[in-house]
Amino acid sequence: VGVPARLSGSHSRCAGRLELLFEGMWGSVCAEGWGLAAARVLCHQLGCGRPRLVPAPCSPAAAGASPVVLRQVQCTGQEPTLEHCDLQPGQPSSCPMDR
């Protein structure tokens, strides 16, 4: 199954703020390295086609209200699911919220 992922805060299952289930708790992704390649992997994992809009990784929309669970993400865009990317849990070391 991999790392459970969902998009929340929207009426569509293919739009919204990314949240991952880490250690039994849903948390936001505000990660260095989040971009088009990671979004491609997520959209493929969720069966949502190609990404249309990729918000800045540390924008208020990306951070949301839930705790941040990933500090860095590295994907090539070819991985079948996010768990195959290099995911580093924790708070980002430098993640400005006003990008």
Side-chain angles (χ1 to χ4, degrees):
V1 173
V3 176
R6 69 182 183 191
L7 294 172
S8 66
S10 172
H11 294 297
S12 167
R13 70 176 185 87
C14 292
R17 182 181 69 250
L18 172 60
E19 294 183 334
L20 299 179
L21 185 63
F22 262 48
E23 298 176 357
M25 187 172 73
W26 287 100
S28 296
V29 172
C30 179
E32 297 167 26
W34 183 265
L36 187 57
R40 268 195 214 113
V41 174
L42 172 68
C43 288
H44 176 77
Q45 178 175 338
L46 297 178
C48 291
R50 293 181 179 198
R52 281 188 250 161
L53 176 64
V54 182
C58 298
S59 68
S66 53
V68 174
V69 294
L70 281 185
R71 99 180 142 84
Q72 188 166 24
V73 175
Q74 289 181 319
C75 298
T76 66
Q78 303 302 315
E79 295 87 351
T81 63
L82 285 175
E83 76 170 305
H84 291 91
C85 298
D86 181 14
L87 306 178
Q88 296 180 14
Q91 293 280 345
S93 54
S94 60
C95 196
M97 300 305 289
D98 58 353
R99 281 191 201 175

